[in-house]
Amino acid sequence: MTTKVLLIALAGLAERDLSRLVLPTDPAKVSLQPISPASVCPTLTSLVTGVYPERHGVVSDAPCSVGIVSPLPHRLKNANRAKTIFSLAHAAGLKTASVNWPLTEGDADIDFLLPNCNGDETAVNQLATILAGDVPDFAALQLHGVLDAKLQYGVDSPEADAAVKMLQAQLSALLPLAENVLLVGAVSPQTITRKVSLNAEFVRRDLISLDENGCFADYKAWCQSNGLSSFVYLKNPSNMGVHDQTEALLDSLQKNGSFGIGEVLTREDAALKHHLYGSFSFVVCSDGETAFDNEVTASAKNLAEKASCGAVGGGEGFLLAAGPAFLSAGAAEKTIPDVAATCASLLGLKLPMTKGKPIAEILKS
């Protein structure tokens, strides 16, 4: 007996990496428009809710943590404001499993919950045990070994190649245990050449104050990194003087050309263009080669990571689907919410408020 639907998020895997994998014969293949920002927590939350960050509320990989240089990533279920496939399945009497999926910690609607496995190998072994036993109707797994290797060693590094080869063995162990499999790649890092500390500029313009030891003390505006994007939070968003000062500074830094800023969006612009909305006031988008950090001193810059993700707008993703529910067909330019709606449809469920529709081109019925 096999699980009915298995959703696997292949973090870091780009479409060009697929040629190095032996995949299910004649899978359905769909090109996907990544959500914005194209980072792990917003993307995977949209994959199980069918809505964009504007509605589920997860706009970056870490919650807003003013004054914290290295904030911890999202973990807890309550950061997501939208209904999930897990909760709908539970209400319908179906069983679910989640392994290494963000924002699931503490979710009582998931029957088999392993939110933080120590590496992909452990995650695969744990899920294989679950799928071979008391079989869930829906299982979701994140594999991030390829992403980790690309971030640390580079997109085209030997370490990244080795991680792709390891992924092949992991998929070979899991795919026979599922009836219908959906493989999604929508968070692919880009090579970076530098990091920029926008908060250091905020210090110079008196938008951030430091104590006598040079550590963060207080702020009027704080710029929190999400890799290739950054979100600007104002302590008092209704203070239009600070709002206009911050906007003018960001515009001048973009025009300067040496800060790696490709575009500055107001919160309203981000909502209209990218379905991206939250308590931030501005979104700073990279030029594609620059990553942002949270440091308050320029001297703290480094390139410990060779690549980064979190771009806003553009990018490419893919869906591969195989099993008795799917045709060997293709579809172009679908969305992450469409994938969520497809998973729900296979389970006989419908996600509320979803912006997606089941991908009819690849479904037998």
Side-chain angles (χ1 to χ4, degrees):
M1 186 176 180
T2 54
T3 197
K4 187 173 182 180
V5 179
L6 172 58
L7 173 64
I8 304 180
L10 304 172
L13 197 75
E15 189 169 0
R16 66 189 181 95
D17 296 321
L18 293 176
S19 61
R20 292 181 284 168
L21 295 175
V22 178
L23 296 163
T25 305
D26 296 325
K29 187 174 182 181
V30 179
S31 63
L32 294 177
Q33 177 65 42
I35 66 161
S36 293
S39 51
V40 169
C41 289
T43 298
L44 270 62
T45 304
S46 289
L47 267 173
V48 293
T49 61
V51 298
Y52 289 99
E54 64 184 352
R55 185 165 293 279
H56 62 58
V58 182
V59 301
S60 61
D61 279 338
C64 177
S65 305
V66 174
I68 306 299
V69 171
S70 301
L72 295 175
H74 279 294
R75 300 194 326 267
L76 300 178
K77 170 187 178 292
N78 59 12
N80 168 30
R81 300 196 301 258
K83 287 281 188 181
T84 66
I85 295 175
F86 302 118
S87 58
L88 292 175
H90 177 77
L94 303 177
K95 290 186 177 180
T96 62
S98 172
V99 179
N100 266 358
W101 206 269
L103 286 95
T104 56
E105 190 171 312
D107 192 337
D109 289 341
I110 301 175
D111 299 281
F112 306 95
L113 176 59
L114 297 166
N116 300 297
C117 289
N118 185 20
D120 283 359
E121 183 176 359
T122 300
V124 169
N125 291 338
Q126 295 280 6
L127 182 57
T129 300
I130 293 170
L131 298 184
D134 193 0
V135 180
D137 299 281
F138 173 72
L141 166 70
Q142 179 198 182
L143 296 175
H144 52 72
V146 174
L147 177 61
D148 293 345
K150 287 185 176 182
L151 293 178
Q152 185 174 356
Y153 299 105
V155 170
D156 298 311
S157 64
E159 291 83 358
D161 289 339
V164 173
K165 292 178 181 177
M166 181 64 70
L167 177 62
Q168 174 68 72
Q170 293 161 351
L171 292 177
S172 297
L174 287 176
L175 298 188
L177 301 176
E179 184 178 349
N180 296 295
V181 181
L182 297 93
L183 305 174
V184 178
V187 181
S188 184
Q190 297 174 228
T191 300
I192 57 174
T193 59
R194 60 179 174 173
K195 278 192 174 182
V196 168
S197 302
L198 295 177
N199 282 330
E201 296 303 312
F202 283 19
V203 171
R204 295 189 182 98
R205 305 301 179 97
D206 296 322
L207 291 171
I208 292 176
S209 57
L210 306 180
D211 62 19
E212 63 275 12
N213 298 314
C215 299
F216 175 87
D218 201 358
Y219 78 110
K220 298 176 184 175
W222 172 261
C223 200
Q224 177 153 320
S225 167
N226 191 49
L228 293 172
S229 57
S230 202
F231 295 85
V232 180
Y233 295 89
L234 303 184
K235 186 173 184 178
N236 183 1
S238 63
N239 186 329
M240 295 309 298
V242 172
H243 180 282
D244 293 346
Q245 178 189 358
T246 305
E247 185 171 23
L249 171 58
L250 293 172
D251 288 342
S252 69
L253 295 180
Q254 179 187 1
K255 292 174 184 176
N256 179 285
S258 60
F259 289 88
I261 298 175
E263 186 177 22
V264 177
L265 302 170
T266 65
R267 178 171 55 180
E268 293 72 25
D269 289 339
L272 288 172
K273 294 178 68 174
H274 302 295
H275 300 286
L276 182 57
Y277 191 82
S279 59
F280 55 84
S281 295
F282 304 98
V283 182
V284 181
C285 306
S286 167
D287 58 8
E289 297 182 356
T290 304
F292 304 110
D293 63 29
N294 298 318
E295 300 286 353
V296 293
T297 58
S299 60
K301 298 175 188 175
N302 65 76
L303 270 180
E305 292 186 341
K306 303 297 188 296
S308 189
C309 49
V312 172
E316 296 179 350
F318 64 85
L319 163 67
L320 298 178
F326 297 105
L327 300 167
S328 297
E333 205 59 22
K334 298 298 182 178
T335 69
I336 295 296
D338 290 331
V339 178
T342 302
C343 289
S345 177
L346 293 173
L347 297 166
L349 306 172
K350 185 175 181 180
L351 288 162
M353 308 301 292
T354 181
K355 295 290 187 179
K357 297 179 180 179
I359 306 173
E361 295 93 328
I362 66 171
L363 292 170
K364 288 185 178 178
S365 62

